[in-house]
């Protein structure tokens, strides 16, 4: 158990609706990464935070996606006007201070867009 | 663009057999991680290898990092049904620590 929680674990929504996911890491993880994983593929990088600062965004992250980490602890990922292509597992992975190569993944949020 | 090619994509073997999964790239990585993932769950970290030529053992699992830090392998000895799952390799480049994942190897071990 990594101690990382993600909520909700599953989300079913209709196309065009907005959804928000939350990631709660254990403390002292100053970096936090978001990935997206579609069926049969490895996870793909979306964005990451160093404390509360968002330092990099993948080109996979369209304008409909926004992520925040307001106090450098928990993080949220919002998708506006969802599309069927957004259906995937969304994973957050905090990284311990001093060892940014090692990332411990949360259980993920499975999004299904109908 | 850094890419990791993982092979084979699918592997179905009998209990007790040995197997090797490969992870190859033309890029150099500062480290490489191996994860195991079960359906509906996030990947679970198995090992991190950092030094070229490094070999790490975790019970029946042996991980090796290539001398040039461009490739890695995972060898499982005497596979058991509990080893069934998706095995992922992931390389960390020098760009903010984000991980580049291979496509994964779906392993099925039949009793």
């Amino acid at each position: 158990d990594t101690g990382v929680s993600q909520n909700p674990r599953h989300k079913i929504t209709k196309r065009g609706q907005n959804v928000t996911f939350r990631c709660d890491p254990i403390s002292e993880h100053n970096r936090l990464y978001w990935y997206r994983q579609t069926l049969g593929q490895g996870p793909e990088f979306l964005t990451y935070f160093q404390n509360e600062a968002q330092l990099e965004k993948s080109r996979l992250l369209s304008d409909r996606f926004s992520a925040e980490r307001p106090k450098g602890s928990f993080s949220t990922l919002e998708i506006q006007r969802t599309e069927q292509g957004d259906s995937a597992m969304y994973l957050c992975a905090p990284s311990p201070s001093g060892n940014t190569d090692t990332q411990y993944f949360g259980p993920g949020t499975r999004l299904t867009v109908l | 663009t850094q890419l990791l090619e993982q092979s084979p994509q699918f592997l179905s073997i009998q209990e007790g057999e040995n197997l090797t999964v490969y992870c190859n790239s033309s890029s150099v990585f500062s480290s490489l991680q191996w994860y195991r993932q079960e359906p509906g769950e996030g990947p679970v970290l198995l090992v991190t290898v950092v030094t070229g030529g490094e070999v790490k053992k975790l019970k029946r699992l042996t991980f090796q990092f290539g001398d040039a830090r461009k490739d890695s392998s995972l060898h499982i000895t005497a596979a058991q049904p509990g080893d069934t799952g998706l095995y992922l390799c992931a390389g960390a480049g020098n760009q903010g620590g984000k991980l580049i994942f291979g496509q994964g190897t779906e392993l099925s071990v039949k009793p």
Side-chain angles (χ1 to χ4, degrees), chain B residues 78-91:
Chain B
Q80 298 176 1
D83 295 327
T84 294
L86 178 68
Y87 289 82
L88 294 158
C89 64

Side-chain angles (χ1 to χ4, degrees), chain B residues 9-93:
Chain B
Q9 266 193 283
F10 301 96
L11 197 51
S12 181
I13 60 172
Q14 293 295 129
E15 182 176 1
E17 293 184 5
N18 301 333
L19 67 114
T20 302
V21 178
Y22 299 94
C23 194
N24 295 296
S25 177
S26 58
S27 303
V28 175
F29 292 99
S30 61
S31 68
L32 199 135
Q33 284 79 44
W34 284 92
Y35 291 86
R36 179 168 169 267
Q37 186 177 25
E38 299 202 18
E41 299 294 330
V44 175
L45 180 67
L46 296 174
V47 78
T48 299
V49 285
V50 178
T51 307
E54 183 176 4
V55 176
K56 280 192 175 179
K57 292 195 175 184
L58 188 65
K59 297 183 180 178
R60 294 176 293 100
L61 278 61
T62 301
F63 305 86
Q64 186 162 6
F65 202 12
D67 290 342
R69 292 186 287 135
K70 292 181 179 181
D71 55 87
S72 181
S73 64
L74 157 61
H75 182 79
I76 301 179
T77 304
Q80 298 176 1
D83 295 327
T84 294
L86 178 68
Y87 289 82
L88 294 158
C89 64

Side-chain angles (χ1 to χ4, degrees), chain A residues 50-92:
Chain A
Q50 173 93 24
N51 299 314
E52 65 274 11
Q54 187 174 17
L55 295 187
E56 185 178 350
K57 293 193 286 187
S58 160
R59 60 179 179 274
L60 291 176
L61 218 65
S62 75
D63 291 345
R64 296 183 298 105
F65 287 70
S66 62
E68 294 182 343
R69 197 180 183 203
K71 296 181 181 179
S73 56
F74 74 91
S75 179
T76 58
L77 178 67
E78 180 184 14
I79 309 175
Q80 296 183 326
R81 304 182 303 282
T82 52
E83 301 173 356
Q84 287 184 324
D86 297 332
S87 295
M89 174 80 95
Y90 289 84
L91 297 157
C92 77

